[in-house]
C-alpha cells in the first residue's frame, strides 16, 4: 500500500523486473567467470603436471619426494575445481528457487483482487500491484509521480501514518479503514493491514501493505443504517433519529444555557379524506409532496438560524424535519430567541401549503396543517416529553379550528396529565365493572305513554359517586375505550330491554335507544357487534334505535361503505341525535336513511318564551313530517314546553319533565306504575310532572 505510506512512487513492475532478464545476465556472467577460473585452474594443473613429469620419471630419493608432493598438489587443485563447480551448481539452484518464488509472488500480486504495495525503510514505494490501476484508476506512471498521502482523505491521514509507524515498530499494524480518492474524484474505502519485512540483522527495512476495497460493503452498511433511521416513503429522518437529535439539543442546552430550541409538531388537516377519496397511493403522494414543501420552507437564511454559540456549526435545517408516521411531521428549530421564531416558521409553513395546490394524479388539491409548538423552556427536560407537549399543542390547534398553530403552555400540560389519569382510571373502571346503565324514558306526547328508553352510561366511582358522561366520554372516545365500554353497555341494555318487553308487552314493543360515537362508526366491527348483541339477547332489530349525532351521520352518508345503510338493512332504526346543532343542509336529509329526528334541547328549552326557538322547532317538526320522519323533543323540562310541543304536533318527548335518566329498578318502577301513562294529552296542562318520584330517586 504505497498510498498507505504515502511517499514517492516507482513503477509497480520495477521490483519484478529485477527478477528475470537482469538476473539471467548476471548468471551468464557468473558462468563465464567460473568457467575462466576452472580453465585457468586446469591450465595451471596442466603446467604443473608438465613441469613435474620429468621429475616423476627420475628415480632418485629427492625426486621421489617431489613426486609425492606434486601428486598431492595436483589432487588438491582437482578437488578445489570440483568443489568450485559444486558450489556454483548449488548457488544456481538456490537462485532458481528464489526466482520461481519471485515469479509466484508476481503472479499472485498481479492477479489478486487486493491492492498490494511494498514500501522501503524510507517510506519510498517499491511496488504497487496492478490492481491499483484497476481499482483506483491510476496508471503506473501516475502512481509514480503523485504523492498518495494526498489521495488519502485528510481526516484519515493521521490514522494511516500511525498504523504504518505501528507496523514498523511491532511488526504488524492493526486493521484500519480509510478513504482514498479514486481518479474519478469519488471516495473509495479501503481496509488495510501492514506487515514489516525484517533484514538479517532484525531491522525492519520495508513494509508489505495489503488493502481491500470495501466500498460496496460500506455502502450497503450505510444504506442499512440509513434505512433504520429514515422513513421509507419521504426519506426524512424517522422518530428514532428525531428523538436522538432532540436529545442532543437537550444536552447542548445543558452545556450552554443561552441555547434554546423548539419542536414543531405538524399534522395534516383531514388527511384521511385524501386516502378515502383519492386512494392510498395518492395519499402517499400527498405526504411526499408535503414533506418536500416542509423541507423547502426551512431556508438556511431564515432569521431563526443564527450562528450558534459554542462553535458547533449551524444546524442543517433540512435535516431537522422528520416524519413520525402517518401524516405527522416534526421539525427541530435550533437557536431560537423566543416563541416568535418558531411561530414565524409555522406561519410560513402554513402559507407555503396554502399558496399553491398539490398536484396529485392530475388533480389539484389543497392541504393545510395544524402546528403545535413546544419550547425547550417548557417544564420537560426529555426529548419524548417535549415531543408530547408539541403534540398536545397541535391537538389544541386542531380543536380550535385547524390550519393554525398553538404554542404549548403549562395549563395544557396540567390538562393532559389529568386526562391521562382519567384514562387510566376509566380503563380500570371498565375492568372492575364500575360502569352502570341509566335509562331515560321517551314518552309519546299524545297519551304520555313510555314508548322506549335511551340508555345512558354512568360511572360509579368509589369515593366520588355517580359521574356523568360529560366528564369521561371524550376521553373514552379519544383513547378508544369507548369501544369496549359501549360493547358492554349494548349487551347489558339489550338484555334489560328484552326482559322489559316480555314483562310489559305493547304494540309496537318498547324501544331501546343507544348512542353511537364517531369512533365507533369508524370501527369496522360495529355492525358485527350489533348483530351479536341482538342475537345473544333475542331483541328484535326493529326495537333498537341507534342515535348518531348529525355531523357524524352526514359524514357517513358520503362514504361508499355506508355504515348507516348496513345498519338499516339489518332492520335497526336510526335516529339523528342533537339535531339542529350540526349545520347540515336540510335538503340532504332526504337522502338520509333516518327514521327519527331528535331536536336538540337547546331549541326546546325556552321555546315557550322565545319566539325564535319556537319557530325553529315548528319548522323542524314540519320538515321532518314532510320527509316521513318522527320527532323526539329532547330536554323537555316544563309543562309549557310540553304544551307547545303538543300544539305543533310533535309526537315524542324526552326530558326531566317526565323523568331524569334513572337506574334499572326505577325504570322498572316507572313501567310498573305507568306513571307517565297517567298523563293524557288532554290532561297535560293540569298535570304535575310525573317524574318527581324518579327525580327523588336520583
Ligand atoms: P344525548 O344522547 O343527547 O343524551 C341526552 C342527554 O341529555 C343526557 O345527558 C340526558 O341526561 C340529558 N337530558 C335529558 N333530558 C334533559 C333535560 O330535560 N334537561 C337537561 N338539561 N338535560 C337533559 P347525559 O346522560 O349526561 O349524556 C350526555 C351525552 O353523553 C349524551 O347525549 C350522549 O351523546 C353521550 N352519552 C351518554 N351515554 C352514552 C353512552 O352510553 N354511549 C355513548 N356513545 N354516548 C353516551
Ligand atoms: Mg342520545
Ligand atoms: Mg341528544
Amino acid at each position: 500500500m504505497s498510498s498507505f505510506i504515502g511517499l514517492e512512487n516507482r513503477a509497480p513492475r520495477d521490483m519484478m523486473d529485477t527478477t528475470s532478464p537482469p538476473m539471467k545476465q548476471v548468471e551468464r556472467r557468473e558462468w563465464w567467470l567460473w568457467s575462466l577460473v576452472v580453465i585457468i585452474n586446469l591450465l595451471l594443473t596442466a603446467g604443473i603436471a608438465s613441469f613435474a613429469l620429468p621429475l616423476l620419471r627420475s628415480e632418485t630419493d629427492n625426486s621421489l619426494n617431489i613426486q609425492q608432493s606434486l601428486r598431492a598438489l595436483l589432487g588438491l587443485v582437482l578437488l578445489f575445481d570440483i568443489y568450485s563447480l559444486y558450489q556454483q551448481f548449488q548457488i544456481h539452484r538456490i537462485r532458481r528457487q528464489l526466482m520461481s518464488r519471485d515469479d509466484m509472488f508476481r503472479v499472485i500480486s498481479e492477479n489478486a483482487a487486493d491492492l498490494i504495495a511494498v514500501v522501503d525503510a524510507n517510506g519510498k514505494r517499491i511496488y504497487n500491484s496492478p490492481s491499483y490501476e484497476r481499482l483506483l484508476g491510476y496508471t503506473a506512471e501516475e502512481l509514480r509521480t503523485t504523492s498518495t498521502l494526498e489521495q488519502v482523505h485528510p481526516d484519515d491521514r493521521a490514522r494511516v501514518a500511525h498504523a504504518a509507524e505501528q507496523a514498523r515498530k511491532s511488526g504488524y499494524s492493526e486493521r484500519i479503514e480509510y478513504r482514498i480518492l479514486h481518479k474519478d474524484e469519488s471516495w473509495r474505502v479501503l481496509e488495510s493491514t501492514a506487515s514489516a519485512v525484517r533484514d538479517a540483522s532484525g531491522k525492519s527495512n520495508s513494509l508489505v501493505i495489503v488493502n481491500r476495497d470495501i466500498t460496496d460493503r460500506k455502502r450497503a452498511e450505510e444504506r442499512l443504517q440509513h434505512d433504520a433511521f429514515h422513513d421509507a416513503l419521504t426519506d426524512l429522518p424517522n422518530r428514532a433519529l428525531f428523538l436522538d437529535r432532540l436529545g442532543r439539543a437537550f444536552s447542548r442546552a445543558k452545556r450552554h444555557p443561552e441555547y434554546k430550541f423548539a419542536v414543531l409538531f405538524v399534522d395534516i388537516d383531514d388527511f384521511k379524506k385524501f386516502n378515502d377519496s383519492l386512494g392510498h397511493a395518492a395519499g402517499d403522494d400527498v405526504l411526499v409532496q408535503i414533506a418536500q414543501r416542509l423541507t423547502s420552507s426551512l431556508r438556511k437564511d431564515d432569521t431563526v438560524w443564527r450562528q450558534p454559540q459554542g462553535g458547533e456549526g449551524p444546524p442543517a435545517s433540512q435535516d431537522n424535519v422528520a416524519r413520525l408516521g402517518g401524516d405527522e411531521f416534526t421539525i427541530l428549530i435550533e437557536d431560537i430567541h423566543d416563541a416568535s421564531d418558531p411561530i414565524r416558521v409555522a406561519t410560513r409553513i402554513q402559507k407555503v401549503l396554502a399558496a399553491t395546490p398539490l398536484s396529485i394524479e392530475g388533480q389539484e388539491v389543497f392541504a393545510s396543517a395544524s402546528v403545535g409548538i413546544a419550547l425547550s423552556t417548557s417544564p420537560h427536560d426529555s426529548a419524548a416529553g417535549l415531543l408530547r407537549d408539541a403534540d398536545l399543542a397541535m391537538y389544541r390547534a386542531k380543536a380550535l379550528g385547524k390550519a393554525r398553530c398553538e404554542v404549548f403552555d403549562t395549563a395544557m400540560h396540567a390538562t393532559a396529565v389529568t386526562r391521562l389519569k382519567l384514562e387510566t382510571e376509566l380503563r380500570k373502571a371498565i375492568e372492575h365493572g364500575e360502569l352502570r346503565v341509566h335509562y331515560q324514558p321517551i314518552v309519546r306526547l299524545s297519551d304520555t305513554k313510555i314508548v322506549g328508553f335511551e340508555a345512558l352510561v354512568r360511572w360509579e366511582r368509589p369515593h366520588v359517586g355517580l359521574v356523568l358522561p360529560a366528564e369521561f366520554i371524550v376521553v373514552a372516545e379519544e383513547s378508544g375505550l369507548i369501544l369496549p365500554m359501549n360493547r358492554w353497555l349494548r349487551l347489558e341494555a339489550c338484555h334489560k330491554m328484552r326482559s322489559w318487553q316480555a314483562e310489559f308487552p305493547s304494540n309496537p314493543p318498547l324501544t331501546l335507544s343507544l348512542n353511537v360515537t364517531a369512533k365507533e362508526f369508524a370501527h369496522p366491527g360495529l355492525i358485527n357487534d350489533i348483530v351479536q348483541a341482538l342475537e345473544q339477547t333475542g331483541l328484535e332489530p326493529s326495537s333498537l334505535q341507534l342515535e348518531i349525532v348529525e355531523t357524524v351521520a352526514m359524514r357517513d352518508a358520503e362514504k361508499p361503505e355506508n355504515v348507516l345503510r348496513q345498519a338499516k338493512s339489518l332492520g335497526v332504526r336510526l335516529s339523528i341525535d342533537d339535531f339542529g346543532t350540526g349545520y347540515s343542509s336540510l335538503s340532504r336529509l332526504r337522502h338520509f336513511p333516518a327514521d327519527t329526528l331528535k331536536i336538540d334541547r337547546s331549541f326546546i328549552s325556552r321555546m315557550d318564551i322565545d319566539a325564535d326557538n319556537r319557530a325553529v322547532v315548528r319548522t323542524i317538526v314540519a320538515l321532518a313530517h314532510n320527509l316521513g320522519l318522527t320527532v323526539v323533543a329532547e330536554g323537555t323540562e316544563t309543562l309549557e314546553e310540553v304544551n307547545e310541543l303538543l300544539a305543533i304536533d310533535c309526537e315524542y318527548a324526552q326530558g326531566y319533565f317526565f323523568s331524569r335518566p334513572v337506574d334499572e329498578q326505577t325504570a322498572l318502577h316507572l313501567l310498573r306504575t305507568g306513571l307517565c301513562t297517567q298523563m293524557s294529552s288532554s290532561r297535560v296542562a293540569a298535570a304535575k310532572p310525573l317524574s318527581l318520584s324518579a327525580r327523588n330517586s336520583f
Side-chain angles (χ1 to χ4, degrees):
M1 179 187 63
S2 54
S3 54
F4 190 70
I5 300 303
L7 294 172
E8 195 184 312
N9 283 309
R10 271 168 57 186
R13 287 186 63 93
D14 274 7
M15 201 175 90
M16 293 306 146
D17 288 350
T18 59
T19 60
S20 352
M23 186 65 83
K24 279 185 183 138
Q25 279 175 19
V26 170
E27 279 187 345
R28 223 173 290 140
R29 283 183 190 189
E30 271 181 357
W31 276 112
W32 276 113
L33 193 67
W34 276 99
S35 304
L36 206 66
V37 168
V38 169
I39 288 166
I40 290 169
N41 258 339
L42 286 173
L43 284 175
L44 274 174
T45 311
I48 292 168
S50 65
F51 167 72
L53 221 58
L55 289 173
L56 290 175
R57 285 198 198 106
S58 79
E59 290 183 353
T60 63
D61 283 350
N62 259 355
S63 69
L64 279 174
N65 283 340
I66 291 171
Q67 275 177 25
Q68 279 171 349
S69 301
L70 279 174
R71 263 193 219 111
L73 187 64
L74 210 60
L76 273 175
V77 169
L78 275 171
L79 269 176
F80 176 70
D81 287 345
I82 292 165
Y83 178 72
S84 298
L85 276 170
Y86 171 74
Q87 284 303 331
Q88 172 62 13
F89 275 117
Q90 286 300 320
I91 289 170
H92 178 69
R93 192 175 56 80
I94 291 167
R95 188 173 283 123
R96 282 278 158 199
Q97 276 176 358
L98 286 173
M99 273 170 65
S100 77
R101 276 173 66 174
D102 278 353
D103 272 349
M104 199 162 67
F105 174 71
R106 183 176 53 80
V107 171
I108 289 171
S109 64
E110 281 185 2
N111 292 293
D114 290 349
L115 304 136
I116 300 167
V118 182
V119 293
D120 69 11
N122 301 319
K124 286 196 174 163
R125 185 183 276 167
I126 306 171
Y127 169 70
N128 278 114
S129 64
S131 42
Y132 266 84
E133 183 168 353
R134 227 174 26 243
L135 295 177
L136 295 179
Y138 300 108
T139 61
E141 185 58 24
E142 282 165 332
L143 285 171
R144 198 194 338 259
T145 53
T146 54
S147 158
T148 47
L149 201 56
E150 273 172 33
Q151 292 156 350
V152 174
H153 195 285
D155 294 351
D156 299 341
R157 280 177 200 165
R159 257 178 331 111
V160 168
H162 173 76
E165 192 56 38
Q166 189 190 32
R168 284 188 203 288
K169 280 190 187 145
S170 64
Y172 295 98
S173 76
E174 62 191 23
R175 193 177 293 269
I176 63 161
E177 286 175 13
Y178 69 96
R179 287 157 290 175
I180 191 161
L181 192 66
H182 190 282
K183 201 179 168 190
D184 66 9
E185 305 267 283
S186 66
W187 289 105
R188 312 290 302 177
V189 185
L190 302 185
E191 185 183 67
S192 176
T193 49
S195 317
V197 180
R198 297 185 189 280
D199 63 12
S201 64
K203 274 198 335 199
S204 77
N205 48 12
S206 56
L207 290 179
V208 174
I209 298 144
V210 180
N211 301 291
R212 178 157 296 174
D213 183 2
I214 55 163
T215 313
D216 291 342
R217 194 184 83 200
K218 275 277 155 195
R219 282 199 187 128
E221 281 170 13
E222 278 166 14
R223 187 77 235 163
L224 280 178
Q225 175 92 345
H226 178 91
D227 290 352
F229 290 102
H230 288 80
D231 165 48
L233 181 66
T234 58
D235 208 32
L236 290 177
N238 62 12
R239 177 187 288 268
L241 185 53
F242 187 77
L243 284 176
D244 179 65
R245 287 191 180 155
L246 212 50
R248 282 168 206 258
F250 268 114
S251 320
R252 199 173 144 202
K254 274 196 190 122
R255 278 180 281 129
H256 309 284
E258 71 287 347
Y259 165 76
K260 295 189 186 70
F261 58 93
V263 169
L264 262 62
F265 201 111
V266 183
D267 190 286
I268 312 307
D269 294 329
D270 303 315
F271 176 69
K272 212 171 159 300
K273 80 177 174 213
F274 295 118
N275 272 341
D276 290 347
S277 56
L278 302 171
H280 279 87
D284 284 355
D285 208 5
V286 170
L287 290 173
V288 171
Q289 290 194 28
I290 286 181
Q292 284 161 355
R293 289 207 184 178
L294 287 180
T295 35
S296 66
S297 62
L298 299 175
R299 296 188 307 255
K300 279 226 166 124
D301 60 356
D302 195 290
T303 49
V304 166
W305 283 289
R306 303 172 185 96
Q307 182 66 33
Q309 287 151 29
E312 292 176 34
S317 58
Q318 306 201 337
D319 284 356
N320 286 0
V321 183
R323 179 175 170 232
L324 295 200
D327 59 341
E328 293 173 346
F329 295 87
T330 45
I331 302 166
L332 171 63
I333 302 180
E334 304 195 69
D335 269 295
I336 59 165
H337 276 212
D338 52 42
S340 69
D341 283 339
I343 289 175
R344 224 172 312 134
V345 178
T347 315
R348 193 170 59 233
I349 287 171
Q350 278 156 340
K351 274 195 194 144
V352 166
L353 288 180
T356 40
L358 307 172
S359 170
I360 307 292
E361 293 180 350
Q363 291 189 49
E364 295 206 324
V365 295
F366 275 98
S368 68
S370 300
V371 185
I373 299 171
L375 307 172
S376 56
T377 46
S378 89
H380 282 296
D381 65 351
S382 79
L386 196 68
L387 201 58
R388 226 175 12 249
D389 288 353
D391 190 11
L392 274 175
M394 184 277 292
Y395 266 100
R396 165 75 78 81
K398 287 248 188 240
L400 292 177
K402 302 179 181 168
R404 52 182 292 149
C405 88
E406 282 293 311
V407 181
F408 174 84
D409 60 33
T410 39
M412 257 185 225
H413 180 69
T415 318
V417 171
T418 318
R419 274 209 157 180
L420 197 67
K421 210 165 143 236
L422 191 67
E423 186 188 319
T424 316
E425 287 176 8
L426 184 59
R427 199 179 293 277
K428 279 195 202 137
I430 297 172
E431 282 166 17
H432 298 164
E434 291 172 14
L435 296 182
R436 307 278 173 266
V437 193
H438 277 202
Y439 299 89
Q440 187 176 32
I442 297 169
V443 173
R444 184 163 54 217
L445 284 170
S446 58
D447 56 2
T448 60
K449 194 172 160 8
I450 297 175
V451 292
F453 287 92
E454 177 173 5
L456 296 159
V457 70
R458 299 290 181 264
W459 177 5
E460 203 170 283
R461 284 182 87 169
H463 318 297
V464 177
L466 213 58
V467 182
L468 292 177
E471 287 189 40
F472 61 90
I473 212 98
V474 176
V475 173
E477 176 82 351
E478 280 174 4
S479 61
L481 285 173
I482 194 88
L483 299 174
M485 190 181 100
N486 273 5
R487 205 173 291 134
W488 167 83
L489 183 130
R490 247 189 320 267
L491 260 181
E492 177 78 17
C494 286
H495 185 70
K496 193 54 44 199
M497 180 48 71
R498 185 72 200 95
S499 70
W500 288 340
Q501 283 181 341
E503 197 174 337
F504 306 99
S506 61
N507 190 19
L510 288 168
T511 60
L512 172 70
S513 297
L514 291 174
N515 293 287
V516 181
T517 64
K519 183 72 139 243
E520 284 187 286
F521 245 86
H523 184 63
L526 176 70
I527 297 291
N528 231 356
D529 277 3
I530 292 172
V531 171
Q532 270 191 16
L534 292 172
E535 279 175 4
Q536 280 179 29
T537 57
L539 190 72
E540 283 298 317
S542 57
S543 299
L544 188 63
Q545 182 94 238
L546 294 183
E547 294 192 3
I548 306 108
V549 290
E550 199 181 338
T551 37
V552 177
M554 292 302 167
R555 219 183 301 149
D556 179 71
E558 290 165 3
K559 284 194 208 155
E561 73 289 6
N562 194 311
V563 183
L564 289 177
R565 287 198 193 281
Q566 290 181 46
K568 198 80 196 118
S569 64
L570 288 178
V572 170
R573 297 167 68 78
L574 300 176
S575 170
I576 301 184
D577 206 353
D578 301 345
F579 187 79
T581 56
Y583 314 105
S584 60
S585 106
L586 295 178
S587 61
R588 284 167 70 192
L589 268 182
R590 227 169 344 127
H591 309 292
F592 196 73
D595 304 282
T596 307
L597 285 191
K598 290 186 85 172
I599 306 177
D600 191 66
R601 67 168 173 269
S602 56
F603 297 102
I604 307 299
S605 69
R606 298 166 53 87
M607 71 179 278
D608 48 336
I609 46 168
D610 185 333
D612 284 349
N613 266 8
R614 202 163 46 239
V616 170
V617 175
R618 184 178 294 128
T619 313
I620 294 176
V621 172
L623 174 98
H625 287 167
N626 275 341
L627 295 172
L629 306 174
T630 52
V631 182
V632 179
E634 271 188 345
T636 312
E637 293 186 353
T638 66
L639 190 58
E640 290 72 23
E641 286 162 8
V642 173
N643 284 329
E644 282 291 340
L645 291 169
L646 276 169
I648 58 171
D649 284 340
C650 178
E651 304 98 315
Y652 301 100
Q654 175 183 353
Y656 294 174
F657 178 76
F658 300 103
S659 169
R660 286 182 174 246
V662 291
D663 60 22
E664 60 177 74
Q665 282 84 17
T666 317
L668 189 61
H669 177 73
L670 284 177
L671 283 169
R672 281 212 179 112
T673 53
L675 278 177
C676 291
T677 60
Q678 286 177 10
M679 296 173 78
S680 69
S681 56
S682 56
R683 284 190 286 145
V684 154
K688 293 228 178 322
L690 291 177
S691 53
L692 274 179
S693 57
R695 218 179 272 171
N696 292 339
S697 74
F698 217 23

